[in-house]
Amino acid sequence: MIAADAQPGEGQRDLGDVQAEAPGPTVIVIAAIHGNEPAGVLAARQVIAALQAGSTRLCGGRVAGLVGNLGAMQAGVRGRVRDLNRAWTADQIAAVRAQHPDADDPEQAEQRALLGRLEDLFETARGPVVVLDLHTTSGGGPPFTVPPDTLAARRLGLALPFPLILGLLESVDGTVGEWVTRRGHTGLGVETGQHTDPQAVSLHAATIWRILHALGQIDAEPPEVAQAFAQVPADLPSVVVLAHRHGVTPGDGFHMRPGYAGFQRVRRGEVLAFDRAGPVVAPMTGRLLMPLYQQQGSDGFFVVRDVRRPWLVASSVLRRAGGHLLVRALGARMAEEELHFDRPPGAPARALLVLLGYRRQELDGQRLRAHRLQEPRRRPRRR
Ligand SMILES: [Zn+2]
């Protein structure tokens, strides 16, 4: 367990900053955007301290670590009044920018400070920018990555020996990873297990090292990376896509049947849980993700399905070839960057939307709105 006194208590947002002489990517580690998830903070400190000490040399670019929600971390809570990882929609950011700081609620004050640091790092970058958003969960389970659905984020996620989950961010608005992507950079969310498990720290540290190596910023990974990744179960899938979310509300008496673990295979019709209405069954064959065994939370469980390699290749080829023009042939109107369907599109159109990286939003059970994130822009390196 991570002892309480091992939690950083200096009240500093900056977790360190290392710059190489040579230009290269800027990797920004955001830790504890959920204040009760200190593992990423400890990991970022470890990696940056090792780079500063020179035991591993940074041969290009920059690495900086930031605490996401400092006040919530000091209070030991996820957020003080809100979830800071749902606050990054264009409207919410515009509201913070327009408002006087005295009017900020605790999370807006955090966001204002974080925005300032992030904009500064974006502005001074001498190469591509990658933002790693480090998380842990209350329920534990195997590690996984959650990329905003761009090919660049996918590619980065595949450098890690964790399952990559496509489509999970689709139902969530306002994550920092999505904002980073809209700003033309690459974001990647990483979950490494239970909040107080020391393995979550070593997996986060190994994640940062692996990404630095994948980006060519270090020549070799320190030996603890292989040790940490050896602890990851070998039978995990490589890429999965969200197929179903079972939402729960406090009154419905939801409880999982005991013994389910993350990524465990389930069959269609299998009884997974019970609520007031009776048994809750798996609506399709797949794998179970994040079964809810705590009292709190609005996600009962998710079912994900394995994604085969040809599907990944097809989606990559289609996106590069401008395949998004195809969806217009399926009855969509294009309005600015969004697609609008006045009637629910059929299964082939939905599959195509996922393939092309569109995030869907049901409006009233009939109409559907979809938009996709743009790939990171290529920028000339500044000297
Ligand atoms: Zn989190």
Side-chain angles (χ1 to χ4, degrees):
M1 303 287 274
I2 300 165
D5 62 4
Q7 292 183 12
E10 294 94 323
Q12 287 195 356
R13 187 170 309 278
D14 287 281
L15 296 169
D17 185 355
V18 198
Q19 290 187 65
E21 296 248 327
T26 293
V27 171
I28 305 168
V29 180
I30 299 179
I33 198 163
H34 292 140
N36 58 341
E37 301 175 11
V41 174
L42 300 176
R45 284 226 163 110
Q46 266 177 29
V47 171
I48 292 170
L51 290 169
Q52 282 167 338
S55 51
T56 299
R57 194 177 75 90
L58 188 72
C59 45
R62 184 174 188 179
V63 185
L66 297 170
V67 175
N69 196 333
L70 194 57
M73 188 177 80
Q74 287 166 331
V77 295
R78 183 176 171 92
R80 279 182 290 175
V81 297
R82 287 183 295 118
D83 184 338
L84 186 56
N85 206 26
R86 300 289 181 272
W88 300 80
T89 61
D91 288 350
Q92 291 178 92
I93 288 173
V96 168
R97 292 200 200 274
Q99 159 174 301
H100 191 276
D102 290 350
D104 287 351
D105 73 22
E107 267 66 42
Q108 286 174 323
E110 296 284 342
Q111 188 170 26
R112 184 182 297 283
L114 197 52
L115 266 170
R117 293 293 295 119
L118 289 169
E119 295 286 11
D120 184 51
L121 287 162
F122 293 170
E123 187 57 37
T124 53
R126 296 186 299 160
V129 176
V130 167
V131 176
L132 297 177
D133 176 25
L134 305 184
H135 290 263
T136 49
T137 55
S138 54
F144 56 88
T145 58
V146 189
D149 198 6
T150 61
L151 298 176
R154 228 190 244 183
R155 210 162 32 238
L156 203 62
L158 287 171
L160 299 165
F162 308 155
L164 192 127
I165 303 184
L166 301 176
L168 189 63
L169 282 185
E170 192 167 89
S171 54
V172 179
D173 269 332
T175 62
V176 71
E178 191 192 328
W179 175 73
V180 162
T181 308
R182 286 205 313 269
R183 288 297 314 265
H185 308 302
T186 303
L188 186 67
V190 184
E191 297 270 0
T192 59
Q194 209 275 333
H195 295 328
T196 56
D197 185 347
Q199 198 184 75
V201 181
S202 51
L203 286 175
H204 274 326
T207 292
I208 303 169
W209 287 122
R210 173 60 54 88
I211 295 297
L212 292 177
H213 191 241
L215 294 170
Q217 292 180 267
I218 55 173
D219 289 329
E221 294 172 351
E224 63 263 29
V225 175
Q227 287 162 22
F229 286 156
Q231 306 301 313
V232 178
D235 58 347
L236 297 175
S238 168
V239 183
V240 297
V241 63
L242 181 67
H244 174 75
R245 168 187 177 265
H246 182 83
V248 299
T249 51
D252 61 9
F254 176 88
H255 58 281
M256 286 295 298
R257 285 179 60 204
Y260 280 110
F263 295 102
Q264 184 171 334
R265 289 181 191 276
V266 294
R267 283 168 181 250
R268 182 179 170 170
E270 184 172 333
V271 177
L272 302 176
F274 293 93
D275 64 16
R276 264 174 224 289
V280 178
V281 302
M284 72 269 298
T285 295
R287 294 176 188 262
L288 201 63
L289 185 67
M290 294 190 280
L292 181 70
Y293 284 113
Q294 295 77 43
Q295 288 312 304
Q296 48 180 339
S298 58
D299 301 321
F301 59 84
F302 297 88
V303 180
V304 296
R305 299 176 105 158
D306 291 22
V307 171
R308 296 184 200 289
R309 198 169 158 71
W311 190 94
L312 282 181
V313 173
S315 75
S316 167
V317 169
L318 263 178
R319 287 184 201 188
R320 284 181 210 283
H324 55 279
L325 296 174
L326 280 175
V327 290
R328 285 202 253 190
L330 297 163
R333 282 182 294 117
M334 194 86 96
E336 293 180 7
E337 301 245 300
E338 291 183 346
L339 295 173
H340 292 260
F341 291 86
D342 292 329
R343 284 180 297 122
R350 284 176 181 264
L352 188 61
L353 288 177
V354 174
L355 211 57
L356 292 170
Y358 278 92
R359 293 161 48 93
R360 290 167 299 162
Q361 193 182 358
E362 315 275 348
L363 292 179
D364 46 20
Q366 281 294 311
R367 291 178 306 137
L368 187 122
R369 187 163 74 188
H371 76 277
R372 70 194 178 107
L373 295 167
Q374 304 295 313
E375 294 295 327
R377 59 176 180 264
R378 296 204 180 149
R379 317 193 299 170
R381 285 183 174 182
R382 295 201 323 202
R383 301 277 155 182

